[in-house]
Amino acid sequence: MKFLRDFIQATPLRERLFRRYYVGSVGTAFGYTMLVTAAAWQMATLTPAAWMVALVQTASTAPSLVFGLIAGSLADIVDRRRVLVGAQWLLLAAAAGLGILSIVGLTGPVILLFFVAIVGAGFAFYMPAYQASINDLVAREELPRAIGLGAAAFNVARAAGPALAGAVAAWLGSGSALIASAVFFVPMMFAIRAMPAPAARLGGVPETVLSGVRAGLRYARHSPPVRSLLLHNLNFSICASALWALMPVVARDQLGLGAGGYGLLFGTFGVGAVIAAFVIPQAMQRHPLNRVVSTAMLLWPAAVLIVAATNYLALSLLGVLVAGGAWVGTLASLGAGTQSTVPPWVRARAMSLNLLTVQASLAIGAAIWGAVASALGLQITLFVSAGLMLLLFVLGRRVHVSLGQEEDVTPWNQLPELVIAAEPTPDDGPVLVQREYRIDPRDRKEFLAAIHEVEATRRRNGATVWRVYRDLAEEGKYVERFIIASWAEYMRSRSRMTMADHEIQDRAAAFQRADVPIKVSRLIAVDSGDD
């Protein structure tokens, strides 16, 4: 007990709100992993086809393709507590419904995939809101450790959940295991009730869900750190989906295991994941994020080769143990990078893109690897997936990832007041912003380099068009012009600027001649019928 108390005091779990939230997340993770495990094993008993078993993973992850971006936008725009509660009810209802149908013998492959897809939809809405809320419950310096604990929560469940689901399925049947999984979605509902009200949203006109989706995509497109993180997620997940999807087939065909053995295999995977979840925060404090991610990504193909090359249970358990560590080592590290890099206004959307990349890769990869396994065999498929990951690692070795800094996420709140003759309506626009610079000829090269670094800050915060022009009539006069779709979006863009954005823009403005101020003009489009 003293060890447990000391551990809690040394982690964000000492904070009561985070501790309740953490317990709720463990419950949700248990429910989800039990449900998917029981469903995958039930499919393996309904049909011998490897591609149908792999489709269980596709059904659980494919809804992220449809709802992932919407879920992230919704979690950034509305009270995240509502999103979390709604997702819990959907998960509970789907688990209980599928369990009842299984008990009465009405579940076939199509019905099973349908309910698993509903579970996938609930999880797609749950994850961005859950991940983004961690930042609201802990101090920034505690974030890597809190994310590590979050990964541990899911992977403690990945260790024990499949084993529990397998034991219940072997004892009472898959339907009872599904009913049991539904109970685990309840604790998060009580945890959410204790959470404080969210901080005030950005000023200006509130976003709609669809405009929020566009803003999230635009931010990711013009943020090199986010693009690098997503690329590594894509490379890893598309290859890792082979072992993840075909684990039931490994248990059934290669190792000759039943439901309990399948649970043991997945449970061992989870044990490796839990070990990594506690190691990763310390590793990120001692080493650059890029080194941590690279090491974990290289461990995965080594683990898959062990699993593919042996029919001995002990060696297979060693392989999946290492695979579990590599899984969390890669995805938790990349998740920490994403959460530390993006500002609060777009955090859930960035996490939804992160989740969308992983889930879409798992969904598409599962279908592809399942088809390859049916055509070429299980072992060849695992060998090919490991080789592909090594190839993608070599090709992407120059794409580095890193943790974000405080200035990357801290809003810049010292914007000057707007001086306008008449306030436009939110839908008026587009808005043209024009900044006129006077630059000494000797500073021309340095200024142009600095001003072009400004482009990304304008675009990810709202600009759809950006360009710099040189005045032919006046030497040294340059005009920066950018267009934002509406007055509402312009007002939001002002609130989105971070300290890092301001520093980039300030470096360009520093080349302005001291004897003349920068002239800023704001113009709004008018139609022929406007007054």
Side-chain angles (χ1 to χ4, degrees), residues 276-523:
F278 286 105
V279 170
I280 289 303
Q282 286 77 19
M284 286 193 293
Q285 289 177 346
R286 298 171 184 168
H287 305 287
L289 181 65
N290 196 72
R291 183 182 299 176
V292 176
V293 171
S294 297
T295 302
M297 289 185 72
L298 287 174
L299 281 175
W300 180 271
V304 171
L305 291 175
I306 293 173
V307 174
T310 183
N311 293 326
Y312 293 101
L313 178 59
L315 287 176
S316 294
L317 291 176
L318 174 63
V320 296
L321 181 75
V322 176
W327 177 275
V328 167
T330 302
L331 297 184
S333 299
L334 293 173
T338 303
Q339 286 182 258
S340 68
T341 297
V342 297
W345 69 268
V346 75
R347 183 168 291 135
R349 278 166 279 196
M351 297 312 299
S352 73
L353 281 169
N354 186 65
L355 179 64
L356 174 63
T357 302
V358 174
Q359 298 290 72
S361 298
L362 292 178
I364 296 169
I368 294 173
W369 295 119
V372 173
S374 294
L376 301 180
L378 175 64
Q379 290 180 305
I380 292 177
T381 300
L382 293 178
F383 280 125
V384 171
S385 72
L388 180 60
M389 179 168 289
L390 289 173
L391 176 62
L392 292 176
F393 177 83
V394 171
L395 293 176
R397 68 187 184 280
R398 294 184 179 179
V399 180
H400 287 251
V401 294
S402 61
L403 291 173
Q405 303 300 315
E406 184 72 24
E407 57 267 22
D408 295 325
V409 299
T410 304
W412 176 258
N413 296 320
Q414 302 180 34
L415 292 169
E417 292 292 330
L418 286 177
V419 179
I420 53 178
E423 180 77 18
T425 65
D427 292 333
D428 285 346
V431 178
L432 169 64
V433 181
Q434 183 169 286
R435 294 171 60 89
E436 298 180 6
Y437 299 86
R438 267 72 175 185
I439 308 299
D440 286 334
R442 66 176 181 272
D443 294 328
R444 176 180 180 275
K445 184 177 181 180
E446 291 80 2
F447 167 75
L448 290 177
I451 195 64
H452 278 89
E453 290 184 6
V454 171
E455 178 181 3
T457 71
R458 305 291 192 202
R459 287 187 178 274
R460 62 177 171 249
N461 288 337
T464 57
V465 176
W466 183 95
R467 196 68 186 257
V468 173
Y469 298 87
R470 175 171 61 89
D471 194 330
L472 297 177
E474 182 180 339
E475 179 65 26
K477 179 180 177 181
Y478 295 87
V479 179
E480 177 196 7
R481 306 179 74 187
F482 55 96
I483 295 175
I484 297 179
S486 68
W487 182 251
E489 187 67 17
Y490 173 69
M491 293 300 293
R492 286 192 290 266
S493 72
R494 284 170 54 84
S495 301
R496 291 169 177 166
M497 185 185 298
T498 64
M499 292 178 64
D501 294 338
H502 175 73
E503 289 175 5
I504 293 172
Q505 296 171 17
D506 206 37
R507 283 199 292 269
F511 291 100
Q512 176 75 6
R513 280 178 14 213
D515 60 329
V516 57
I518 297 173
K519 181 181 178 181
V520 181
S521 303
R522 300 174 183 86
L523 302 94

Side-chain angles (χ1 to χ4, degrees), residues 7 11-13 18 22 25 130 144-154 277-278 281:
F7 173 76
T11 69
L13 290 172
F18 179 75
Y22 181 72
S25 69
Y130 157 70
R145 193 176 292 272
I147 293 172
L149 286 170
F154 192 80
F278 286 105

